[in-house]
Amino acid sequence: MTALPRYRRPATPVFGALGLLVALGMAEAADALWRAPQERLRIARERQIVADLGLSDLALFTEARYTRHPALADHAAAFQDAPGSFEHFPSGSFVPPAGPWGAARLGFSEAEVTR
Amino acid sequence: MNALRRQRALADYTIAALSRRKVKNLALVAVFSLVVFLLASAMFFASALRQEADAALEGAPDLIVQQLSLGRQAMISADLIDDLASIRGVRDVRGRLWGYYYDRVSGANYTVMVPEAGQMPPPGQVIIGEGIARARGLEWQGAPLFLSRKQGDLNRFDVAQTFESDSALLTADLLLMNAADFRAFFSVPEDMFTDLAASVRNPRERATVVDKASRAMPDARFVTRDDIARTYMKLFDWREGMMVALAAVAMLAFAIFAADKASGLSAEEAREIGILKAIGWDTRDVIAMKLWEGGFVSLGAFLLGTTAAYAHVFWAGAPLFAPVLKGWAVIYPAFRLAPGVDLSELVVLLLLTTLPYAAATVVPVWRAASADPDAVMR
């Protein structure tokens, strides 16, 4: 008499895979915690560089003046390169204008202008 | 205990049923994971960049004063240093020298600066960012940097130091020069600066100081550290630019999934439910089975997508986003990010992926399961 093949529960490998993914997620959380002290040191060094050099912007997009230093860019930079050119540089589409504008008022005396 | 065994058996049945349409369901999980992966990658990337920018730019000048002339920024006179310094609450006013240099050899733009403090390069020497070394191929120790302003002009600078790639996010394209070299190289007169930077003793006084200073210097534009922070807040904000595009595409994909599921059951699925009811399954069991199905698919896709996104952004350095950052730029920072995951955003992503999917699977099934099995099977 041959023995019946053992019944394998179909969900077991799926639960196993989900368990593995949860374990991977926990490993990533542990990685984040483990790296945190080094990263804090690195960011403190960066802050020192910013203070020493008087930097105002990140070197994220170096292709145009107004994307290299968005905080210091001319307010009307959009059409500076060529007439009719909406946006010359790809990164210009990701960097929103700094704003806010329109804080000024028109008036004849100082009392009218200041709020 | 009994309920647990019942649920376990339902899960087993669900997996067996799903594996009958293995390819379709695996493709579903794969596409779903890809959507979550893209969304989570963008989220991790943006939030890590925002944290980095916030922390690093805390050291930025409190107040930057630019001279405006004919609607554009112009050089500012050194005389205004004293005017600014005379305002109460303002201290450490210093003129900044910086500008851009277009390198015709590599086609890259460099940001040339004179450091305010810290290490000042000696005359004839420069400190460069790793991006410049990369663009110019200055691999060997002691390689000089030649800069040309026009044809026939060649200036030799010795590289005193190269910034570590640790700080590439801030220094990739920086070229630090001695003040005398800077003035000579760019023909800047002695009494002119690019702009002025100042500290304000009390952060709450910044608005008042700007108010007073703009009366004293009506032609100037004032950029405070809060303005800088706001600029970067906007840049990395979910509601802006790239994030919107990505989120909109992902939402569309979710909508297609949900519509596909919610538009009704296939005849085969309806038959299956009818048979289950006919052999004695409870409506509750059928719905529990479908919940398991939705749970397996959406939770699996969420776990797969987010863990892969973490690995993509924080272990591999976000290679998928590199083309976006590069654009047409020759120099782009090769930076790594400190893992910073916003838990509330992660929870929102979890709810956004699992809840609509679960609802979309359960509602049509509930309708089929509560109907007469005979009618459903016909």
Side-chain angles (χ1 to χ4, degrees):
Chain A
M1 202 174 119
T2 52
L4 283 171
R6 237 185 81 223
Y7 173 65
R8 282 168 194 273
R9 306 200 71 148
T12 308
V14 176
F15 279 125
L18 288 179
L20 268 180
L21 284 175
V22 170
L24 180 61
M26 272 155 53
E28 287 174 343
D31 169 67
L33 289 178
W34 181 70
R35 269 166 66 177
Q38 295 156 265
E39 297 290 350
R40 261 200 298 279
L41 272 181
R42 184 176 65 83
I43 289 178
R45 272 202 305 275
E46 282 191 343
R47 198 178 303 146
Q48 191 56 47
I49 290 176
V50 169
D52 282 350
L53 305 184
L55 298 181
S56 58
D57 287 272
L58 304 181
L60 263 182
F61 308 108
T62 61
E63 51 193 359
R65 289 202 298 273
Y66 52 87
T67 56
R68 174 62 178 87
H69 291 98
L72 299 182
D74 282 351
H75 275 172
F79 300 101
Q80 69 174 0
D81 290 303
S85 77
F86 278 103
E87 181 49 66
H88 190 63
F89 292 102
S91 57
S93 353
F94 301 120
V95 184
W101 302 284
R105 273 186 174 192
L106 292 180
F108 291 104
S109 69
E110 197 174 317
E112 279 181 79
V113 178
T114 49
R115 296 179 215 210
Chain B
M1 204 58 215
N2 215 7
L4 208 66
R5 280 178 55 201
R6 184 190 186 88
Q7 291 304 324
R8 182 72 218 269
L10 280 171
D12 281 330
Y13 174 82
T14 311
I15 291 300
L18 283 173
S19 61
R20 257 182 282 136
R21 290 179 290 272
K22 201 179 266 166
V23 176
K24 184 191 159 209
N25 285 315
L26 282 181
L28 189 73
V29 173
V31 175
F32 207 176
S33 317
L34 195 69
V35 171
V36 175
F37 166 76
L38 280 178
L39 214 54
S41 288
M43 210 171 79
F44 291 165
F45 192 66
S47 91
L49 262 180
R50 183 190 299 151
Q51 281 179 16
E52 189 108 359
D54 279 357
L57 292 178
E58 259 175 38
D62 287 339
L63 182 65
I64 295 174
V65 186
Q66 294 180 325
Q67 177 76 42
L68 291 187
S69 167
L70 302 173
R72 319 195 85 187
Q73 197 209 333
M75 302 294 285
I76 195 163
S77 162
D79 302 342
L80 291 175
I81 292 182
D82 291 337
D83 293 357
L84 191 62
S86 66
I87 293 169
R88 256 173 76 109
V90 177
R91 52 171 194 173
D92 302 339
V93 185
R94 63 258 178 213
R96 301 201 308 161
L97 284 170
W98 65 276
Y100 302 100
Y101 171 79
Y102 175 68
D103 183 8
R104 283 183 292 177
V105 180
S106 59
N109 281 310
Y110 304 155
T111 300
V112 189
M113 284 193 112
V114 175
E116 288 179 7
Q119 208 177 0
M120 174 74 86
Q125 297 197 4
V126 288
I127 299 175
I128 59 174
E130 56 92 30
I132 296 182
R134 203 150 30 101
R136 287 295 286 262
L138 306 175
E139 283 115 8
W140 44 281
Q141 189 73 33
L145 179 72
F146 287 100
L147 299 179
S148 164
R149 290 165 293 185
K150 53 185 183 292
Q151 251 179 6
D153 171 73
L154 207 56
N155 291 270
R156 179 194 161 123
F157 292 99
D158 288 314
V159 179
Q161 190 196 326
T162 307
F163 279 114
E164 285 169 30
S165 56
D166 260 17
S167 60
L169 190 58
L170 294 158
T171 59
D173 70 333
L174 282 190
L175 178 62
L176 301 187
M177 262 187 202
N178 188 282
D181 284 344
F182 184 94
R183 289 191 189 276
F185 188 73
F186 290 106
S187 316
V188 178
E190 272 302 320
D191 55 346
M192 296 301 247
F193 289 100
T194 309
D195 52 23
L196 306 181
S199 309
V200 177
R201 208 173 294 140
N202 181 355
R204 277 177 296 182
E205 270 180 22
R206 271 183 217 151
T208 328
V209 166
V210 168
D211 200 42
K212 282 186 195 162
S214 54
R215 278 162 214 253
M217 298 175 237
D219 293 336
R221 176 184 165 211
F222 300 88
V223 179
T224 61
R225 193 196 294 162
D226 299 335
D227 293 333
I228 297 174
R230 203 163 33 235
T231 303
Y232 281 90
M233 202 50 93
K234 275 181 99 175
L235 179 52
F236 304 126
D237 199 341
W238 266 98
R239 287 165 295 171
E240 307 278 347
M242 178 169 63
M243 298 300 149
V244 178
L246 268 176
V249 170
M251 289 302 154
L252 201 67
F254 281 137
I256 293 171
F257 276 136
D260 180 46
K261 279 279 168 189
S263 61
L265 301 166
S266 68
E268 200 187 344
E269 275 175 304
R271 235 172 83 86
E272 182 188 327
I273 290 169
I275 292 171
L276 290 178
K277 293 269 314 220
I279 60 173
W281 279 44
D282 203 4
T283 305
R284 263 193 329 192
D285 295 335
V286 175
I287 289 177
M289 186 266 281
K290 280 290 163 185
L291 273 178
W292 272 108
E293 186 187 315
F296 278 133
V297 170
S298 56
L299 209 64
F302 173 79
L303 284 173
L304 201 62
T306 42
T307 49
Y310 184 94
H312 168 233
V313 173
F314 298 119
W315 288 345
L320 279 185
F321 296 142
V324 172
L325 288 183
K326 283 177 197 168
W328 294 350
V330 174
I331 294 182
Y332 48 89
F335 56 91
R336 54 177 199 153
L337 289 165
V341 173
D342 190 337
L343 279 184
S344 63
E345 281 186 348
L346 207 60
V347 171
V348 169
L349 189 66
L350 174 67
L351 295 181
L352 218 63
T353 45
T354 49
L355 280 189
Y357 191 83
T361 36
V362 166
V363 170
V365 168
W366 174 74
R367 260 192 272 135
S370 48
D372 181 29
D374 181 47
V376 177
M377 273 193 286
R378 261 170 217 282

